[in-house]
């Protein structure tokens, strides 16, 4: 009877996320983002060519902005500190704060630090050799 109760209880408990991700039981693996689209709903598409991943620490001082730009390759951003107001074409403005991860918009957008402390963002570009990660807007 005890074995049956233990088996039933084991079926009710969720699997440990760390084990499900292939890590040892003592390791905690917390999903931050899982998506197949950019934040504007456009499906992610990997660029052709030799893969190249670039990771940047992007820092935006108080009152500054990124300038209007777009990313022709998938970009995952994780907000380390502060908050950033993102205004993307055809989308309502969004505020992203420390601890949030996003697949950045595929279209033209601008990020603004409207706060009083610096914004720090880790950006991971899934690009290719010779492909630009960021394209500035030219009027």
């Amino acid at each position: 009877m005890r074995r049956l109760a233990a088996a039933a209880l084991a079926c009710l408990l969720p699997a440990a996320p760390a084990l499900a991700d292939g890590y040892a039981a003592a390791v905690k693996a917390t999903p931050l983002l899982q998506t197949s689209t950019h934040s504007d709903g456009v499906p992610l598409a990997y660029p052709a060519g030799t893969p190249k991943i670039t990771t940047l620490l992007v820092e935006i001082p108080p009152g500054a902005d990124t300038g209007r730009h777009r990313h022709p390759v998938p970009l995952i951003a994780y907000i380390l500190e502060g908050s950033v107001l993102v205004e993307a074409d055809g989308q309502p403005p969004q505020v992203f704060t420390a601890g949030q991860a996003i697949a950045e918009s595929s279209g033209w957008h601008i990020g603004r630090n409207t706060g009083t402390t610096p914004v720090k963002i880790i950006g991971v570009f899934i690009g290719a050799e010779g492909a630009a990660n960021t394209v500035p807007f030219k009027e």
Side-chain angles (χ1 to χ4, degrees):
M1 187 64 137
R2 284 186 195 171
R3 285 186 197 160
L4 181 59
L9 181 59
C11 289
L12 294 175
L13 296 175
L19 291 177
D21 290 334
Y23 293 105
V27 174
K28 181 179 178 183
T30 304
L32 299 175
L33 175 69
Q34 189 172 38
T35 185
S36 57
T37 66
H38 295 272
S39 63
D40 55 6
V42 174
L44 293 172
Y46 298 121
T50 303
K52 181 174 82 174
I53 295 175
T54 304
T55 303
L56 297 179
L57 173 60
V58 178
E59 299 180 69
I60 309 169
D65 64 58
T66 60
R68 193 169 153 81
H69 65 281
R70 68 179 184 83
H71 305 287
V73 301
L75 166 58
I76 304 304
Y78 181 77
I79 315 301
L80 291 172
E81 297 177 16
S83 63
V84 61
L85 170 68
V86 176
E87 298 170 314
D89 288 1
Q91 302 290 313
Q94 293 181 285
V95 175
F96 298 99
T97 60
Q100 286 187 288
I102 59 169
E104 283 209 24
S105 174
S106 65
W108 295 105
H109 61 281
I110 189 169
R112 300 180 193 280
N113 181 349
T114 59
T116 59
T117 61
V119 172
K120 293 186 180 179
I121 303 168
I122 294 287
V124 180
F125 298 85
I126 312 300
E129 290 291 336
N133 289 326
T134 303
V135 176
F137 183 78
K138 294 180 182 173
E139 291 188 48

